[in-house]
Amino acid sequence: MSKICCFTGHRRMSSLSAIEIETRLKNKLIYLIENEDFCDFRAGGAKGFDSFAALTVLELKRQYPHIKLHLVLPCKGQDKYFTPLEKQIYKFTLHNANSVSYVQERYSDGVMFARNRALVDGADLCIAYLEKLEGGTYQTVKYARKQGVKTLNILRI
């Protein structure tokens, strides 16, 4: 039975270069696909690490066509305040994902928290880009650990 990996991370990534993050993430995902039967990957569609992880999975689909990207989004219109480039990346991932689901139709207080829980629920592993012990990423990692989901901080690899 295939395993599920979800991603969570900060919108701004400052501790490592994009090349270092890509190298670490890609190497870890290849290991998980080839050695631990991970085939399903969930991303939340946010700016920053979420988008970075989704693009990495889509890139790896060329080498591993059996893997799947599932977008678990908080609500429609999530990209309302994205820059033009961020919107382009968001639309690309939407178009190329194997599935797209929304926690709810419209934005409301708590929808991002609900999206984060939906990403984690049923996952076997949560890969995070966690720089600080506060905010949504930190809360998601805490929730994953509480649910018994193994967590891995890409900064610690």
Side-chain angles (χ1 to χ4, degrees):
M1 186 167 164
S2 68
K3 295 179 184 174
I4 300 168
C5 174
C6 68
F7 302 104
T8 186
H10 303 303
R11 289 180 180 89
R12 292 191 185 141
M13 300 177 292
S14 57
S15 291
L16 298 172
S17 71
I19 292 170
E20 182 65 24
I21 296 166
E22 177 184 25
T23 300
R24 288 180 183 198
L25 182 59
K26 192 180 290 186
N27 288 341
K28 187 61 178 178
L29 294 181
I30 289 169
Y31 176 83
L32 293 171
I33 294 163
E34 292 182 351
N35 299 292
E36 295 193 20
D37 200 29
F38 278 86
C39 296
D40 293 290
F41 298 89
R42 296 178 186 163
K47 304 178 198 182
F49 186 70
D50 274 13
S51 294
F52 201 89
L55 290 173
T56 303
V57 171
L58 290 174
E59 180 183 340
L60 287 173
K61 277 181 67 83
R62 289 185 252 151
Q63 185 177 349
Y64 304 97
H66 67 286
I67 67 171
K68 293 177 175 58
L69 173 65
H70 306 283
L71 296 180
V72 180
L73 306 178
C75 58
K76 294 183 178 177
Q78 175 180 335
D79 63 337
K80 183 177 180 179
Y81 298 108
F82 286 15
T83 66
L85 177 58
E86 291 164 345
K87 284 184 183 208
Q88 186 177 2
I89 292 167
Y90 182 76
K91 288 177 182 173
F92 178 82
T93 58
L94 277 175
H95 180 73
N96 289 286
N98 293 88
S99 71
V100 178
S101 62
Y102 297 92
V103 173
Q104 61 190 50
E105 283 292 312
R106 293 189 184 101
Y107 179 84
S108 66
D109 288 344
V111 71
M112 299 300 183
F113 184 66
R115 183 268 321 265
N116 293 343
R117 287 190 314 249
L119 281 166
V120 168
D121 289 341
D124 299 288
L125 174 66
C126 179
I127 296 180
Y129 180 96
L130 180 63
E131 290 182 351
K132 53 191 176 190
L133 302 180
E134 61 185 9
T137 298
Y138 177 61
Q139 293 303 320
T140 303
V141 169
K142 277 179 49 177
Y143 178 76
R145 289 176 178 157
K146 184 178 178 184
Q147 298 305 309
V149 175
K150 183 179 174 186
T151 61
L152 177 98
N153 187 351
I154 203 77
L155 295 175
R156 307 283 183 256
I157 295 178

